[in-house]
Amino acid sequence: MLRALAVSAVMALAATTACQSNSTSQPTSSSSGAAITVFAAASLKSAFTEIAEQYKTDNPGSSVEFSFAGSSDLVTQLTQGAPADVFASADTRNMDKAAQAGLLSGNPVDFATNTLTIAVAPGNPKGIKSFRDLTKPGVSVVVCAPPVPCGGATQKVEQATGVTLTPVSEESSVTDVLNKVTTGQADAGVVYVTDAAGAGDKVTAVSFPEAARAVNTYPIAVLKQSKHSEAAQRFVDLVTGEPGQKALAKAGFAKP
């Protein structure tokens, strides 16, 4: 009889301990103070950095870490398991790749558009006035690699105009193209209007009408792997809402 009582007591204690363990190990549904990681196209650096400050003000204790790079590189990193909560692409093609890989938790939302321009040295010493002028003898041109959104857009312009560029290099992000121009390593680079605007007096922007044939639409989405999906969604909502749209417009982006 005493042995039976002892066994019962041990079993009751074990059950109580298990219940307590389960109750303390349950993940909290609160995302207050969450640290989220955003993978974003390089051209978004200025606008998203400003938006992140607003996000931290709206969500005390929260933080936003960014990885800015060419959208194609970001998709490759994500498909290889890189941890992130939000993905913002400079085109729909790379977002589609993320969707096909099963990386998204829902449908992406378009939040901005961007258009190409030609960035040249201040004062335009080579006299570049059109897209075709990029083929003039003695003009060194840098573009984005074809898999990168700005590279894909450049190819569209080439097809539309019948002009084939012979770049001295093809870069993995639009910021790398801009850097080649600002450091004097190239005479001209095909970049986004937002990048040329952000460079200020370091470059002169030369617009060309054919750019209207290759407008890039930017989508954003929460990633399925996110451990802070509510916090990630709040960032997406901020980008697509009025505060985010104001910051994007300030940087030179147009509405989607």
Side-chain angles (χ1 to χ4, degrees):
M1 181 66 176
L2 289 175
R3 184 166 182 248
L5 288 173
V7 171
S8 297
V10 170
M11 293 179 64
L13 177 61
T16 301
T17 302
C19 289
Q20 290 175 342
S21 175
N22 287 340
S23 65
T24 56
S25 65
Q26 289 299 315
T28 175
S29 60
S30 172
S31 54
S32 175
I36 62 171
T37 299
V38 177
F39 273 31
S43 52
L44 291 165
K45 185 173 183 178
S46 176
F48 268 29
T49 300
E50 180 176 335
I51 291 172
E53 291 305 311
Q54 182 64 51
Y55 178 84
K56 288 185 286 186
T57 298
D58 294 344
N59 302 275
S62 296
S63 64
V64 182
E65 296 294 331
F66 286 109
S67 178
F68 292 109
S71 298
S72 57
D73 285 345
L74 293 175
V75 171
T76 298
Q77 293 175 39
L78 290 171
T79 55
Q80 291 177 347
D85 300 282
V86 176
F87 175 44
S89 174
D91 67 351
T92 56
R93 179 179 61 175
N94 281 290
M95 184 60 79
D96 288 343
K97 289 181 181 179
Q100 291 164 6
L103 300 176
L104 310 184
S105 69
N107 294 326
V109 180
D110 296 338
F111 66 93
T113 57
N114 213 347
T115 309
L116 296 176
T117 192
I118 301 169
V120 298
N124 195 6
K126 292 291 184 175
I128 304 297
K129 297 180 180 178
S130 66
F131 189 78
R132 186 173 294 277
D133 282 350
L134 295 177
T135 62
K136 292 195 307 184
V139 175
S140 58
V141 182
V142 180
V143 301
C144 291
V148 184
C150 58
T154 301
Q155 285 189 323
K156 289 181 182 178
V157 174
E158 289 182 281
Q159 294 166 1
T161 59
V163 174
T164 300
L165 302 181
T166 307
V168 294
S169 70
E170 295 181 338
E171 303 298 323
S172 61
S173 75
V174 68
T175 51
D176 290 336
V177 173
L178 186 66
N179 183 61
K180 291 283 188 179
V181 178
T182 58
T183 57
Q185 298 178 65
D187 298 317
V190 182
V191 301
Y192 292 121
V193 294
T194 54
D195 296 285
D201 58 7
K202 293 181 180 179
V203 299
T204 292
V206 179
S207 61
F208 55 98
E210 298 89 350
R213 305 185 191 182
V215 177
N216 275 8
T217 298
Y218 286 53
I220 188 170
V222 175
L223 294 169
K224 187 180 294 183
Q225 64 165 314
S226 175
K227 296 180 180 179
H228 306 289
S229 57
E230 292 180 9
Q233 185 60 54
R234 285 199 296 272
F235 183 83
V236 171
D237 292 342
L238 183 60
V239 170
T240 58
E242 184 177 352
Q245 291 298 298
K246 284 184 177 180
L248 289 159
K250 178 182 174 182
F253 289 91
K255 293 282 187 180

